[in-house]
Amino acid sequence: MKFSRVQPLSSTLGSINQYNFLNPHISKKINFTKKINNNNNNNNNNNNNNNNNNNNNNNNNNNNNNNNNTKLLSSSSSSFLFNHQYNSINKVNNNNYSNNNIISNSKRLYSSKFVNLLLDIKEKVLDKVENLEDKKKVDRDFILNKGNLNYYLEKLSNPKESLPSPPIAQQKPNSIEIHGTTINDPYNWLRNTEDPKVIEYIENENKYKEKFAKTYTNPLTRKLRSVFKRVFIDHPDEDEIINGYKIIVKNKNLFRQRVSDGYTQLLLSNGEKISGYEINLRDVLVFKFSRDNSLFAFVTEVDSSENKVCIVKKVSDPGAPVVDVIKNVSSMEWGKNNDLFYIQYDLILHRSHKIFKKTIKDNIKSNDEEFNQSELMIHEENPKYYLDIYVPKDGQYIFYLSNCKISTLIYYSKLNDNEPVTSKSHKAMLSRVDNLEYYAEHNGEEFYIFANANKGDLNIYKVKDTIENGKFSDLELFIPSEPNSMIRDVDMYRDYLVISDLHKFQPRIRIIYKNPESNRFDNSLEKIITLPHKIVEISMGVNSGYDNNDSFFLSYCTPTQNVVPIKISLKDGEITKLGEPKERGPLVINPDNFETDILWVPSKSNPDIKIPLSICYNREAVKFDGKTPCVLHGYGSYGIPHSLYYNIEDLFLMNAGFVVARAHVRGGGELGRTWYNDGKLLNKKNTFSDYIDCVEYLFENKYTSPNYLIGRGSSAGGLLMCNVALNYPHYFSGIISQVPFADVITSMLDESLALTIHEYGEWGNPNDKEVFNYMKQYDPYSLLDDPNIQSSLKSLPNLYITGSKTDFRVPLWQPLKWVAKLRNKLKSLQTENDEEAPLVILGINDDSGHFGPNDRNSLTKKWTFDLGFIFYSLRKSITKKKIK
């Protein structure tokens, strides 16, 4: 895993239930895509990436893979819709890390305890004072006006006075010389976010945002908040049984319950304070039991800068006493004899660079480093490589991965009962070579290697488990890749190989059986299972137990249906549904009334290329007259496959009569490795042209038109949004660009940033003149100096840009600089009181990080502001057209 600039609502399957932390069916371990494509950091990031999908698991024997995830933090009762947001999803440059982490964490605890209390009080006051009308009437109005755009537009204010002038940042001389070119950067001073002048500028931007909301959208957003507050989901009672136990959440406490007799043990409480940290269940990324079930460890984020700790507790009654706390840990695995292997990251670059082993004792004093020191297993000193760690399902080995964008090196150590693992135990599986990325499993006496040699799609190979420093030619091809396919996850049992993949952008499950005569997997003995949905996200379950020969668990969701748990028979592929979520409240829909489809859009630069375009809408709302509002999502980076999954904001918009769509542009992984390669490095501009081809397709087929179109993207998807806003301003009513990677060249020239060196394989190194000249053609910050772009700035759609002070993936100064530069360019073009000037809003959050807030009040505020901006943009563009 490694870090990348990914969007919050990423393809990692943990995101399919992003708003329901208490739902049991969040994705399994690290997304397989991430393992191969290295789209995350060691905590998991793909994509986005954006995913920390690690799983809960315990086992009574040595044949075990303890891949455990918050997936198992389940509830058999109703859960509020806002309980989980983006938990551990691809969190993919904030260099202000120092030894004051405890201090910053203390501030977080203060905020959690008091600021949230104030927010609750404010909400109650708003409910009583501002929302005097009956809540049932609000719900009734909402339900009766589904699909009625004018209902929402009329709720916006019509002020007599326009907004004041927006903040304008001072310009200060600054330039760099590169390749015989001088780059003037008068807003470089905004990088120092501790400068009082920068702080003042940020405050002024937030005041301007608040003034906009007060002037135009607050009456609408208050009603929307009332709607969101009364959305609930009842989750199915059935859940996966892990080695005889269920992991359940009840009353915000985490329990382990033995299935045989119902015996229940408390493991962890939400809000529990451990060594100065307040533990929130929604922030737990990895959760695993030791092999003898006497201990469990979990990794949790402790602040919005994604700092993490590993906490080890003893399974006992009463409660579960803490036996160790280890700081700066991104992931961990249990070995034998209570050996805990964990990865530490450095505080400057957030790079996972060291793996340690520590034998855990049964009390916290004996685990103090003074008495029980951790042993360094491996130290990756090269700054472009990130470490990862995992144990295959049979539990016979532990693997250390050293990943970058173009290569993988796996070390393996045998896990023996009587022979401890040391720093000299590990062997290299294959020698590192460029353009060979791979992931390995173990079965019998063989390693099964999933490799994308020569930048191609994944083939599956096998080789004896005695290999050391092997060559690619030593591998025996087992299953060749299929065109337009992408393997996303794998479960390898003793007698079954289960593969979750995308084939021509359709999720499917493949079960490969062993030949009874050779007792080896035979790719001619295969069963393929698909689900009867045009658009569906599949997430594999924990599925512990190497000797499992019964069934395996997974879950799925669609754009109109929340997560559904199912199990599939390993023997015949029969699917058994374990229940369905039941939604209550004003957003309840009948999925049968909605059309979901994948359209294939011909590329205008190459008609042989067809771009997938996912689309969902209420059949009664779309008239195909070009006057239907539409939100078109886009991303297209890091090889991450994105789906149009269940999303609360999109669900609301579809209720309101919108078409919701996602352009699966090149640079993503939807159609395999070639699709990814064709949208990165010196092919990056294909990402932008593909998105515009999808936009024009929607126009040509009368799904929508420019006055009704909203573009949305985050992080690398925010880069996409900033680019198309500048190049095609007349195509949009409004654009939301969250934490955009908007200053590409400056970032990729600065090797002190957390991701720069590591991501040369994604974006290129602008110290190379060819790369530099290519980047200038799409970098949003550089494009503002293009005379052709400047001449069309007055045609810009309304823009809403976001950033966060605690985002280390896309530092705050990136959106800050881009907006400051844009505002100054616009100012030079405008006359006084220019009513047709585009609205540019910049929202800076103090502590929401790269992926936004995850508490109920902040989420509600975010959603309703986003929606208010969307409706305001539509009203402005529609009104402007009528006036003309």
Side-chain angles (χ1 to χ4, degrees):
M1 301 168 291
K2 65 178 181 297
F3 289 118
S4 53
R5 297 176 179 90
V6 303
Q7 83 177 51
L9 300 180
S10 68
S11 67
T12 36
L13 300 180
S15 67
I16 64 178
N17 193 33
Q18 67 232 336
Y19 307 108
N20 298 281
F21 176 71
L22 300 185
N23 187 346
H25 305 287
I26 296 173
S27 170
K28 179 189 161 182
K29 53 185 180 285
I30 304 163
N31 184 285
F32 186 71
T33 304
K34 300 176 211 171
K35 295 177 181 175
I36 299 299
N37 292 334
N38 299 313
N39 298 318
N40 311 326
N41 115 320
N42 280 327
N43 227 351
N44 186 21
N45 170 42
N46 114 358
N47 174 276
N48 256 212
N49 327 157
N50 130 258
N51 258 64
N52 309 314
N53 298 323
N54 308 310
N55 308 296
N56 262 328
N57 187 1
N58 52 18
N59 201 339
N60 307 344
N61 54 51
N62 291 331
N63 293 329
N64 175 37
N65 174 19
N66 286 322
N67 289 321
N68 308 318
N69 188 318
T70 51
K71 156 188 193 310
L72 293 178
L73 304 187
S74 60
S75 171
S76 59
S77 59
S78 299
S79 65
F80 193 78
L81 191 61
F82 299 96
N83 281 331
H84 176 60
Q85 168 76 346
Y86 319 144
N87 186 51
S88 74
I89 301 169
N90 304 338
K91 303 187 174 181
V92 170
N93 288 97
N94 183 1
N95 335 331
N96 302 323
Y97 294 99
S98 61
N99 293 324
N100 63 352
N101 291 312
I102 298 299
I103 296 175
S104 65
N105 184 57
S106 298
K107 292 179 181 178
R108 174 184 172 91
L109 294 181
Y110 182 89
S111 173
S112 175
K113 186 173 182 179
F114 296 105
V115 174
N116 286 337
L117 175 61
L118 294 176
L119 287 171
D120 286 337
I121 294 173
K122 180 180 177 181
E123 289 295 310
K124 292 177 182 178
V125 171
L126 284 173
D127 282 345
K128 292 183 178 180
V129 178
E130 296 175 332
N131 246 353
L132 294 177
E133 59 182 318
D134 182 17
K135 290 186 176 69
K136 291 184 179 179
K137 182 180 183 301
V138 175
D139 287 353
R140 186 166 60 252
D141 287 349
F142 173 78
I143 293 170
L144 291 175
N145 285 282
K146 285 184 178 181
N148 181 3
L149 177 62
N150 288 330
Y151 170 78
Y152 301 97
L153 303 186
E154 291 168 359
K155 301 301 178 186
L156 296 166
S157 297
N158 292 289
K160 296 180 180 180
E161 298 181 1
S162 58
L163 279 174
S165 298
I168 300 295
Q170 181 183 359
Q171 300 184 54
K172 298 183 180 182
N174 182 76
S175 63
I176 59 173
E177 300 286 336
I178 182 170
H179 305 306
T181 301
T182 299
I183 300 178
N184 293 310
D185 188 3
Y187 305 101
N188 188 67
W189 67 279
L190 292 172
R191 291 183 60 156
N192 182 8
T193 54
E194 302 302 317
D195 183 336
K197 292 292 185 182
V198 177
I199 294 172
E200 181 183 7
Y201 176 66
I202 292 172
E203 290 174 350
N204 288 336
E205 286 286 4
N206 279 334
K207 288 178 182 178
Y208 185 69
K209 174 191 171 185
E210 292 169 4
K211 181 65 175 177
F212 161 75
K214 185 176 180 180
T215 304
Y216 292 105
T217 64
N218 277 354
L220 172 62
T221 56
R222 282 197 294 269
K223 290 184 179 295
L224 298 183
R225 183 171 61 244
S226 178
V227 169
F228 281 122
K229 282 182 176 180
R230 290 186 303 288
V231 177
F232 296 86
I233 293 181
D234 299 323
H235 300 296
D237 292 337
E238 294 287 339
D239 192 17
E240 183 176 355
I241 297 172
I242 313 297
N243 298 307
Y245 289 89
K246 284 186 178 182
I247 307 299
I248 61 175
V249 169
K250 186 174 183 181
N251 298 327
K252 298 185 178 181
N253 292 316
L254 177 66
F255 299 91
R256 184 174 71 161
Q257 184 178 77
R258 192 160 57 212
V259 174
S260 60
D261 58 6
Y263 174 69
T264 303
Q265 294 169 298
L266 174 66
L267 302 177
L268 186 63
S269 296
N270 193 61
E272 184 174 339
K273 292 180 173 57
I274 299 175
S275 296
Y277 301 108
E278 182 177 331
I279 307 303
N280 292 304
L281 295 184
R282 63 173 175 257
D283 295 330
V284 174
L285 308 177
V286 189
F287 190 103
K288 307 186 180 188
F289 288 90
S290 62
R291 297 199 175 203
D292 64 2
N293 280 302
S294 65
L295 302 166
F296 67 91
F298 62 93
V299 175
T300 182
E301 288 187 352
V302 293
D303 60 33
S304 57
S305 294
E306 301 177 51
N307 287 309
K308 307 169 187 71
V309 298
C310 177
I311 296 172
V312 187
K313 302 185 80 176
K314 185 178 180 180
V315 181
S316 63
D317 289 318
V322 175
V323 298
D324 206 356
V325 177
I326 309 171
K327 297 178 182 178
N328 308 323
V329 174
S330 58
S331 190
M332 55 79 183
E333 283 282 2
W334 286 103
K336 296 190 176 182
N337 304 314
N338 289 342
D339 286 343
L340 182 72
F341 295 83
Y342 62 90
I343 305 173
Q344 282 199 321
Y345 56 87
D346 69 77
L347 295 176
I348 303 299
L349 298 181
H350 246 248
R351 182 176 69 94
S352 299
H353 66 142
K354 293 180 180 179
I355 296 177
F356 292 89
K357 185 194 80 170
K358 187 173 186 178
T359 303
I360 302 298
K361 310 299 182 182
D362 62 359
N363 66 78
I364 194 165
K365 185 175 181 179
S366 61
N367 285 315
D368 189 287
E369 281 294 315
E370 181 180 352
F371 308 106
N372 184 15
Q373 288 191 339
S374 300
E375 180 183 357
L376 180 65
M377 296 287 103
I378 187 170
H379 179 198
E380 180 54 81
E381 298 185 12
N382 191 318
K384 72 178 181 180
Y385 298 131
Y386 283 67
L387 292 177
D388 193 9
I389 186 173
Y390 68 100
V391 174
K393 195 177 291 291
D394 69 355
Q396 298 302 306
Y397 289 89
I398 187 162
F399 294 154
Y400 312 145
L401 282 72
S402 175
N403 294 320
C404 75
K405 286 289 181 181
I406 61 172
S407 71
T408 303
L409 176 60
I410 295 182
Y411 300 99
Y412 64 93
S413 289
K414 184 79 172 178
L415 295 175
N416 295 314
D417 287 320
N418 302 318
E419 185 178 344
V421 176
T422 71
S423 60
K424 298 181 180 180
S425 299
H426 56 267
K427 303 174 183 178
M429 192 175 294
L430 301 175
S431 299
R432 187 192 292 275
V433 294
D434 286 348
N435 300 320
L436 176 61
E437 300 167 75
Y438 66 99
Y439 164 76
E441 288 285 353
H442 184 260
N443 185 279
E445 297 178 348
E446 293 176 312
F447 291 130
Y448 284 78
I449 295 176
F450 303 76
N452 60 351
N454 300 316
K455 298 184 179 180
D457 291 320
L458 291 179
N459 294 310
I460 306 177
Y461 303 86
K462 54 187 177 182
V463 69
K464 284 289 185 181
D465 59 13
T466 54
I467 190 171
E468 184 174 358
N469 287 315
K471 299 178 181 179
F472 184 72
S473 58
D474 295 331
L475 306 181
E476 175 188 350
L477 180 63
F478 171 46
I479 301 178
S481 64
E482 297 182 60
N484 301 317
S485 294
M486 179 186 195
I487 296 177
R488 302 191 68 182
D489 207 348
V490 169
D491 268 332
M492 181 167 276
Y493 305 96
R494 182 183 299 277
D495 296 320
Y496 306 91
L497 171 60
V498 178
I499 299 173
S500 171
D501 70 1
L502 285 175
H503 179 59
K504 296 181 180 179
F505 196 42
Q506 287 298 307
R508 62 181 184 176
I509 298 293
R510 301 160 64 189
I511 305 176
I512 298 170
Y513 300 88
K514 280 188 173 180
N515 186 312
E517 295 182 3
S518 65
N519 198 34
R520 300 180 75 191
F521 288 114
D522 186 337
N523 63 351
S524 67
L525 302 175
E526 180 182 39
K527 183 176 291 292
I528 295 178
I529 301 145
T530 59
L531 296 174
H533 301 278
K534 291 182 179 179
I535 302 177
V536 60
E537 272 281 11
I538 292 177
S539 172
M540 299 283 279
V542 174
N543 296 318
S544 64
Y546 178 61
D547 293 316
N548 179 20
N549 60 7
D550 182 17
S551 57
F552 62 96
F553 292 79
L554 57 82
S555 57
Y556 72 86
C557 79
T558 72
T560 57
Q561 187 175 31
N562 209 314
V563 179
V564 177
I566 63 175
K567 67 178 180 179
I568 298 177
S569 169
L570 283 166
K571 295 178 181 178
D572 58 18
E574 181 182 358
I575 298 174
T576 302
K577 188 179 291 188
L578 301 178
E580 293 188 5
K582 295 181 180 179
E583 299 163 351
R584 294 180 284 122
L587 287 184
V588 172
I589 64 170
N590 180 358
D592 293 338
N593 295 335
F594 287 76
E595 182 70 27
T596 59
D597 204 355
I598 297 175
L599 311 175
W600 294 90
V601 178
S603 166
K604 294 188 175 179
S605 62
N606 183 352
D608 292 334
I609 294 175
K610 301 294 190 294
I611 306 156
L613 174 63
S614 296
I615 193 165
C616 186
Y617 56 87
N618 189 324
R619 295 186 188 92
E620 296 180 357
V622 178
K623 307 302 181 184
F624 295 99
D625 57 1
K627 296 182 180 179
T628 302
C630 174
V631 170
L632 179 61
H633 297 274
Y635 187 70
S637 292
Y638 301 103
I640 299 170
H642 283 281
S643 179
L644 194 61
Y645 39 74
Y646 188 91
N647 177 293
I648 189 66
E649 284 185 271
D650 287 347
L651 186 65
F652 175 89
L653 290 169
M654 288 187 289
N655 257 311
F658 281 63
V659 170
V660 174
R662 178 176 286 280
H664 304 284
V665 297
R666 280 175 284 180
E670 288 85 349
L671 294 176
R673 187 72 178 191
T674 301
W675 196 250
Y676 169 43
N677 291 333
D678 285 348
K680 64 185 286 196
L681 297 172
L682 297 179
N683 295 318
K684 188 61 199 171
K685 289 195 292 182
N686 288 334
T687 300
F688 315 118
S689 62
D690 284 358
Y691 184 84
I692 293 303
D693 285 344
C694 290
V695 168
E696 292 176 345
Y697 182 91
L698 292 171
F699 294 163
E700 292 162 1
N701 290 275
K702 302 296 183 181
Y703 283 97
T704 190
S705 58
N707 286 313
Y708 293 87
L709 180 63
I710 302 292
R712 291 197 75 162
S714 177
S715 196
L719 158 63
L720 169 59
M721 291 301 111
C722 292
N723 179 284
V724 297
L726 296 177
N727 283 293
Y728 298 88
H730 52 294
Y731 276 0
F732 301 91
S733 167
I735 282 180
I736 298 177
S737 178
Q738 296 170 243
V739 292
F741 182 38
D743 190 2
V744 180
I745 290 178
T746 303
S747 298
M748 298 309 294
L749 284 171
D750 187 351
E751 294 187 354
S752 70
L753 297 179
L755 303 179
T756 296
I757 296 174
H758 178 64
E759 295 204 347
Y760 283 152
E762 181 73 25
W763 307 98
N765 184 345
N767 289 297
D768 179 314
K769 187 174 182 179
E770 182 183 15
V771 173
F772 172 77
N773 288 332
Y774 188 84
M775 278 184 177
K776 284 179 65 179
Q777 299 174 48
Y778 71 81
D779 174 21
Y781 195 71
S782 300
L783 285 176
L784 288 171
D785 294 321
D786 184 332
N788 294 323
I789 296 294
Q790 293 177 8
S791 65
S792 62
L793 287 180
K794 287 191 69 173
S795 301
L796 278 175
N798 292 332
L799 299 175
Y800 174 41
I801 314 297
T802 72
S804 174
K805 294 179 182 178
T806 54
D807 186 352
F808 79 88
R809 302 172 193 273
V810 177
L812 169 60
W813 52 262
Q814 292 212 32
L816 206 60
K817 284 178 60 182
W818 190 75
V819 168
K821 189 174 184 179
L822 175 61
R823 285 202 194 284
N824 274 281
K825 300 292 185 183
L826 286 170
K827 184 181 179 183
S828 66
L829 298 172
Q830 290 173 12
T831 58
E832 189 174 355
N833 299 320
D834 190 344
E835 292 294 334
E836 294 193 6
L839 173 72
V840 180
I841 299 291
L842 176 61
I844 304 298
N845 295 307
D846 288 342
D847 59 0
S848 61
H850 190 68
F851 298 97
N854 63 5
D855 65 276
R856 170 189 163 184
N857 287 326
S858 299
L859 270 174
T860 306
K861 185 177 179 180
K862 175 196 178 299
W863 290 336
T864 55
F865 183 89
D866 291 353
L867 294 170
F869 172 83
I870 289 172
F871 286 116
Y872 170 84
S873 298
L874 292 173
R875 188 180 75 171
K876 183 178 178 181
S877 59
I878 294 169
T879 303
K880 186 190 299 185
K881 179 183 177 183
K882 289 180 178 178
I883 292 174
K884 290 182 177 180

